[in-house]
């Protein structure tokens, strides 16, 4: 009999490709030492994709093809941490650091040697990753949870999976060499590298959205984005720093934990060092300050941890922080410069923001010539005048801020008062300050400044995602020449002598505008586009195709694109799911709007107000005419608790308050914050306070968690 040749089975081929890809991902994203080009990597991933498509049964969630998966349908679920995610006490100078070391020594026996692990304090947000057994001896990523309030965080697994430095899979071999079981927990910091942060802000600004203040805020916003493919594009990084199992440290030393994490394929910051004295800690800090500006991510200090876990246990915790670790914070980066003038910028919602024009000054390695003054109240609070010397801070922020006026002999007071304009600097309409608000707004819905920002927002990636309709294209559609656009782009050129000038943006357009509202985007013709500068056949066709494609964007994106005040990504999603169609939303009363999860009275009022305005309704009708998506899948609601109102009080044994609320609302019930005669049930847990008393005095029925679950059936 002829010997059979052994063709590898599809299982084998797939597993071999996966292993190869994992190895190269690790080289690229963790060790920063790639051996493949991007094209080589893409080619192999595509090969794997093709094989998986042929054998869908063999697709596993830890495959390198499975980084971007389904969206979290109902927002993020709250999850309790295995052990509280505490914060750290801070030290701001050597003296405070030494005082901490003395407290540490005081908490241990006199003969004990203390070693410290020094790590960079990464300026991001902490995450807990849970790993559990896979089918063949490996560990696979099960979930990723934000810190939240330290006790309960949000399950952001779908987004965490997109972070390339988070292994989806730790092989049996890696587990063995690093001494890890199949189930463990990793804690660490998720950061947005400086470059990715700048790119994200460029896109946001181009889309007419406010720039994120600093990489930390940007990372926090990104990790809570409801679209994993957007998260994947942002290139977050995860640095691991703790290894736990069932809420306890898994190894005997922090240094050992870092080594094990590295061995298991996690990204561990390579600057971390073990030292034997506070002098050496101070040396580490000095070195960290030295390399700070050259790092690809922001740090705001150094974290010092007692190495021995046995010593950590004996030192224990104060209320909110461990006694065995401390954060040494770098001083804020500030400089003194002169306020030369103030510009007034009009945003998408008509908000007028005063922007300080400063004599250029270097703050923490970056030249700063603009700083936000936020609003008129801030100007009063600072008591600042044009010509004043001011202190500017840039605590990792892109938008520096003025913290105070400097007043001494070397820095005489300025003379010119800052006068807030009474009319819009772009359209001349009177500015309005709504009761209870600090901002002044231009309420002219046709104000060109607002329209420009609205168009950018509408076309931006996170909204209707019309590629090609960026900042300069929008300006051209509004009648500006490219020369005008470029002139406005040059730093400082929008206003060579800011003084009291109110002209913050480009000049009056030289040509007739092709669009006057966001709906006009859908009426743009090829001839229109060809009449613009530097637009050829190919560009025109691709923009038109993009515009057409955007009609398929779901209702939540359309709602976001309308630019209703206070309606961000999450609210738009909630509204689309709750009402299921534009018509139902337009017909919803303020009362009905308030019943939607996460929608408060302020949002309910602005949504209602938006649809009461005839011009807005006309705009919506035109969009309908162009065939945009006006329906969505409605979130199913039960009817079991219809017509009943619940008040939650105290701590329930297994459900968090949000979970209980969610369950009630899904069953058609309402949850209110205060007890009245109209309350149907008070759900009381441990340490229920005055609400329980009130329920008893009003004769309202009281149930516990078991009772609630019984009502829910
Ligand atoms: S240890 C109880 N290590 O700083 C232990 N934290 O100010 C707390 N952070 O919430 C965490 N880099 O988000 C630790 N190498 C590092 C860190 C670090 C940044 C953050 C973390 C924490 C905050 C406390």
């Amino acid at each position: 009999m002829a010997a059979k040749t052994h063709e590898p089975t599809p299982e084998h081929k797939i597993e071999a490709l996966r292993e190869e890809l994992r190895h190269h991902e690790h080289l690229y994203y963790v060790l920063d030492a790639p051996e493949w080009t991007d094209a080589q990597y893409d080619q192999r991933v595509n090969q794997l994709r093709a094989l998986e498509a042929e054998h869908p049964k063999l697709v596993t969630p830890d495959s390198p093809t499975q980084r971007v998966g389904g969206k979290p349908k109902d927002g993020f679920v709250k999850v309790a941490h295995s052990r509280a995610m505490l914060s750290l006490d801070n030290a701001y100078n050597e003296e405070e650091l030494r005082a901490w070391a003395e407290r540490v020594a005081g908490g241990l026996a006199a003969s004990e040697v203390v070693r410290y692990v020094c790590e960079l304090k990464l300026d991001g947000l902490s995450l807990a990753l849970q790993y559990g057994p896979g089918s063949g001896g490996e560990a696979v990523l099960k979930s990723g949870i934000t810190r939240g309030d330290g006790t309960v965080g949000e399950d952001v697994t779908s987004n965490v999976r997109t972070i390339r430095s988070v292994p989806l899979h730790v092989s049996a071999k890696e587990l063995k060499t690093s001494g890890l079981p199949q189930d463990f927990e990793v804690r660490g910091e998720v950061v947005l590298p400086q470059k990715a942060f700048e790119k994200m802000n460029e896109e946001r600004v181009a889309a007419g959205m406010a720039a994120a203040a600093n990489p930390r805020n940007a990372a926090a916003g990104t990790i809570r984005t409801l679209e994993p493919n957007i998260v994947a594009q942002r290139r977050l990084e995860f640095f691991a720093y703790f290894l736990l199992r069932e809420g306890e440290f898994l190894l005997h030393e922090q240094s050992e934990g870092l080594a094990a994490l590295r061995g298991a394929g996690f990204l561990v910051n390579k600057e971390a060092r073990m030292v034997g004295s506070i002098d050496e800690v101070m040396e580490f800090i000095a070195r960290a300050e030295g390399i700070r500006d050259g790092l690809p991510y922001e740090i705001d200090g150094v974290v010092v941890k007692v190495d021995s876990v046995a010593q950590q246990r004996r030192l224990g915790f104060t209320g909110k922080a461990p006694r065995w670790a401390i954060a040494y914070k770098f001083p804020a980066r500030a400089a003194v410069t002169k306020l030369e003038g103030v510009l007034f910028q009009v945003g998408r919602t008509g908000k007028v923001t005063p922007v300080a024009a400063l004599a250029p000054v270097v703050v923490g390695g970056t030249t700063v010539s603009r700083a936000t003054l936020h609003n008129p109240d801030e100007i009063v609070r600072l008591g600042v005048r044009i010509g004043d010397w001011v202190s500017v801070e840039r605590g990792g922020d892109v938008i520096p801020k003025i913290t105070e006026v400097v007043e001494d002999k070397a820095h005489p007071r300025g003379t010119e008062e800052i006068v807030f304009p009474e009319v819009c600097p772009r359209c001349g309409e009177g500015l309005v300050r709504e009761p209870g608000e600090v901002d002044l707004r231009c309420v002219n819905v046709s104000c060109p400044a607002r329209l420009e920002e609205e168009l950018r927002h509408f076309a931006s990636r996170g909204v209707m995602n019309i590629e090609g309709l960026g900042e300069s294209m929008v300006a051209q559609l509004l009648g500006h020449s490219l020369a005008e656009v470029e002139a406005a782009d040059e730093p400082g050129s929008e206003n060579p002598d800011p003084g009291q000038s109110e002209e913050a943006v480009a000049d009056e357009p030289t040509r007739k505008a092709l669009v006057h509202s966001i709906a006009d985007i859908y009426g743009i013709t090829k001839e229109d586009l060809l009449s613009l500068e530097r637009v050829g056949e190919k560009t025109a066709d691709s923009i038109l195709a993009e515009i057409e494609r955007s009609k398929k964007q779901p209702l939540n994106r359309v709602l976001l694109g309308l630019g209703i005040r206070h309606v961000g990504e999450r609210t738009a999603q909630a509204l689309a799911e709750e009402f299921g169609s534009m018509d139902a939303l337009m017909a919803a009363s303020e009362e009905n709007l308030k019943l939607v999860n996460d929608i408060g009275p302020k949002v309910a009022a602005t949504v209602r107000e938006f649809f009461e305005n005839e011009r807005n309704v006309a705009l919506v009708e035109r969009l309908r005419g162009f065939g945009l998506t006006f329906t969505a899948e409605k979130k199913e609601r039960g009817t079991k608790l219809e017509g009943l109102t619940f008040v939650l009080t105290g701590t329930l044994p297994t459900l968090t308050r949000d979970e209980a609320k969610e369950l009630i609302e899904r069953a058609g019930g309402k949850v209110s914050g205060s007890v009245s005669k109209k309350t149907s049930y008070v759900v009381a847990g441990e340490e229920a306070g005055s609400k329980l008393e009130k329920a008893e005095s009003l004769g309202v029925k009281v149930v516990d968690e078991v009772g609630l679950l019984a009502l829910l059936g």
Side-chain angles (χ1 to χ4, degrees):
M1 218 165 68
K4 269 189 194 163
T5 46
H6 286 286
E7 249 300 287
T9 61
E11 274 104 326
H12 279 114
K13 274 201 237 163
I14 287 182
E15 207 31 66
L17 260 177
R18 285 182 186 161
E19 253 176 51
E20 200 181 10
L21 282 163
R22 282 182 189 126
H23 172 65
H24 285 273
E25 284 187 348
H26 185 246
L27 285 174
Y28 188 103
Y29 293 106
V30 176
L31 303 182
D32 198 13
E35 287 175 8
W36 277 356
T37 61
D38 289 2
Q40 276 172 310
Y41 179 85
D42 291 346
Q43 189 214 347
R44 298 294 162 88
V45 172
N46 288 339
Q47 235 172 327
L48 176 59
R49 274 211 184 96
L51 272 172
E52 288 182 342
E54 271 175 52
H55 306 280
K57 284 216 181 85
L58 298 179
V59 179
T60 55
D62 62 341
S63 168
T65 58
Q66 303 300 303
R67 290 229 173 238
V68 182
K71 297 186 199 182
K73 246 191 148 170
D74 299 316
F76 301 117
V77 177
K78 297 256 158 74
V79 188
H81 288 295
S82 66
R83 159 192 184 136
M85 289 183 86
L86 298 176
S87 92
L88 293 173
D89 285 333
N90 295 325
Y92 293 94
N93 50 45
E94 183 171 347
E95 203 187 328
E96 290 177 12
L97 182 69
R98 289 193 185 276
W100 167 74
E102 287 197 357
R103 289 197 298 278
V104 167
L108 301 170
S111 58
E112 280 183 77
V113 175
V114 183
R115 292 205 177 76
Y116 308 99
V117 172
C118 301
E119 296 169 20
L120 297 182
K121 187 168 180 328
L122 305 153
D123 201 8
L125 65 144
S126 41
L127 273 189
L129 313 181
Q130 307 282 350
Y131 285 79
S135 53
E138 76 281 21
V140 293
L141 176 70
K142 296 284 181 196
S143 65
I145 308 162
T146 60
R147 176 172 183 271
D149 64 4
T151 314
V152 175
E154 282 183 311
D155 183 330
V156 290
T157 314
S158 47
N159 289 341
V160 170
R161 296 178 65 83
T162 70
I163 305 174
R164 304 305 175 103
S165 41
V166 169
L168 298 180
H169 169 114
V170 183
S171 71
K173 198 169 135 215
E174 285 167 323
L175 291 176
K176 193 156 170 252
T177 46
S178 12
L180 294 187
Q182 272 181 292
D183 59 327
F184 57 91
E185 178 178 334
V186 175
R187 291 189 178 177
E189 199 82 353
V190 68
V191 298
L192 190 65
Q194 195 63 30
K195 277 222 176 79
F197 169 64
E198 282 161 16
K199 181 163 166 273
M200 166 181 164
N201 263 347
E202 271 167 30
E203 285 172 9
R204 285 181 67 92
V205 171
M209 287 187 267
N214 52 46
R216 179 172 18 91
N217 285 2
T222 302
I223 207 72
R224 298 187 71 250
T225 302
L226 287 165
E227 306 236 13
N229 54 346
I230 292 190
V231 184
Q233 287 159 9
R234 297 254 171 96
R235 302 284 170 198
L236 292 168
E237 297 244 37
F238 176 78
F239 286 97
Y241 51 66
F242 280 141
L243 188 53
L244 303 163
R245 190 187 194 185
E246 287 167 4
E248 290 298 326
F249 284 123
L250 192 56
L251 298 168
H252 301 298
E253 275 132 25
Q254 171 63 11
S255 49
E256 210 185 340
L258 294 181
L261 284 166
R262 199 172 276 135
F266 288 87
L267 175 61
V268 174
N269 195 270
K270 59 178 190 292
E271 308 298 337
R273 293 280 179 284
M274 187 160 70
V275 300
S277 69
I278 291 298
D279 284 346
E280 285 174 283
V281 172
M282 285 312 299
E283 279 168 32
F284 182 91
I285 291 171
R287 211 179 81 76
E289 285 195 280
I291 61 171
R292 184 182 187 188
D293 285 332
L295 292 171
Y297 42 80
E298 290 269 355
I299 60 170
D300 60 345
V302 165
V303 179
V304 189
K305 300 171 183 171
V306 169
D307 189 39
S308 152
V309 172
Q311 289 180 340
Q312 289 180 2
R313 276 206 196 99
R314 274 180 285 137
L315 289 164
F317 300 84
T318 62
K320 65 169 191 42
R323 289 200 187 88
W324 44 266
I326 193 139
Y328 181 98
K329 295 284 271 274
F330 293 146
R333 305 201 261 195
V336 170
T337 188
K338 199 169 182 176
L339 177 67
E340 296 189 327
V342 177
L343 316 166
F344 295 93
Q345 281 177 355
V346 189
R348 176 165 59 86
T349 56
K351 177 181 158 186
V352 179
T353 307
V355 178
L358 303 166
V361 60
V362 178
V363 190
T366 304
T367 304
V368 168
S369 58
R370 293 274 186 276
T372 177
L373 281 164
H374 300 292
N375 53 51
D377 286 11
E378 179 73 358
I379 295 175
V380 175
R381 190 186 72 79
L382 289 167
V384 61
R385 297 165 71 87
I386 292 167
D388 270 346
W389 291 83
V390 291
S391 183
V392 191
E393 255 187 36
R394 202 181 68 87
D397 299 14
V398 253
I399 311 171
K401 59 176 187 212
I402 294 183
T403 49
E404 61 180 352
V405 175
V406 178
E407 229 190 311
D408 56 32
K409 268 206 190 118
H411 303 107
R413 286 297 322 246
T415 47
E416 207 181 326
E417 192 188 340
I418 300 170
V419 185
F420 219 88
E422 283 175 8
V423 298
C424 172
R426 274 302 277 285
C427 71
E429 183 134 328
L431 297 179
V432 176
R433 182 184 234 177
E434 278 162 25
E437 294 217 351
V438 284
D439 297 316
L440 279 163
R441 276 173 206 285
C442 166
V443 289
N444 171 12
V445 286
S446 321
C447 171
R450 292 183 57 169
L451 180 58
E452 190 168 334
E453 300 292 330
E454 273 167 20
L455 289 168
R456 286 186 196 173
H457 168 74
F458 188 81
S460 67
R461 187 178 275 172
V463 187
M464 299 303 274
N465 193 14
I466 307 177
E467 213 166 302
L469 272 198
E471 193 172 342
S472 87
M473 189 56 65
V474 164
Q476 284 211 67
L477 290 172
L478 288 171
H480 291 285
S481 69
L482 272 184
E484 284 165 350
V485 176
E486 277 155 20
D489 268 354
E490 275 165 39
S493 65
E494 73 264 50
N495 214 324
D497 171 24
Q500 278 289 324
S501 163
E502 291 166 354
E503 180 67 45
V505 206
D507 299 332
E508 279 300 296
T510 43
R511 278 186 294 101
K512 233 180 90 201
L514 294 171
V515 294
H516 301 93
S517 90
I518 54 178
D520 288 346
I521 290 177
Y522 294 95
I524 295 176
T525 63
K526 189 162 173 180
E527 289 67 48
D528 287 341
L529 290 171
L530 288 174
S531 74
L532 303 176
E533 293 167 74
R534 283 189 230 151
V535 178
E537 289 269 336
K538 221 169 127 196
T539 310
D541 284 339
S542 99
I543 294 178
L544 287 177
E546 280 287 318
I547 292 176
E548 193 55 34
R549 206 168 57 95
S550 76
K551 294 180 181 173
K552 297 256 166 353
Q553 289 291 356
L555 177 62
N556 56 315
R557 298 276 195 120
V558 179
L559 291 176
L560 188 60
L562 290 176
I564 308 171
R565 269 178 74 202
H566 309 307
V567 176
E569 192 190 341
R570 284 169 83 93
T571 310
Q573 177 120 9
L575 291 172
E577 277 178 359
E578 195 63 32
F579 294 96
S581 72
M582 185 71 89
D583 289 325
L585 175 63
M586 289 170 86
S589 68
E590 209 170 309
E591 284 311 305
N592 279 340
L593 285 161
K594 272 194 265 182
L595 292 180
V596 179
N597 213 356
D598 290 339
I599 293 189
K602 192 159 127 189
V603 183
T606 50
V607 172
R608 201 49 250 144
E609 211 174 276
F610 182 89
F611 289 116
E612 251 150 42
N613 180 320
E614 271 173 39
R615 295 175 74 133
N616 294 334
V617 174
L619 169 73
V620 170
E621 290 313 323
R622 284 192 64 212
L623 292 176
R624 185 200 304 272
F626 284 116
L628 272 69
T629 311
F630 269 32
T631 54
E633 222 169 278
K634 207 171 159 181
K635 199 157 144 188
E636 279 314 312
R637 277 203 179 287
T639 50
K640 245 195 174 111
L641 303 186
E642 208 167 78
L644 300 179
T645 305
F646 291 76
V647 173
L648 301 167
T649 174
T651 313
L652 300 177
T654 70
L655 295 172
T656 66
R657 197 168 278 215
D658 282 336
E659 284 163 351
K661 183 164 180 256
E662 178 80 19
L663 286 174
I664 294 169
E665 287 174 346
R666 272 174 189 249
K670 277 198 289 184
V671 175
S672 152
S674 55
V675 183
S676 73
K677 273 191 288 190
K678 287 194 195 142
T679 309
S680 324
Y681 289 95
V682 165
V683 184
E686 211 150 296
E687 285 174 37
S690 59
K691 288 182 190 170
L692 181 58
E693 282 164 29
K694 183 143 186 220
E696 279 160 358
S697 73
L698 291 172
V700 172
K701 277 175 268 182
V702 178
V703 292
D704 60 4
E705 183 178 292
V706 177
L708 170 65
L709 294 173
L711 285 170
L712 287 160

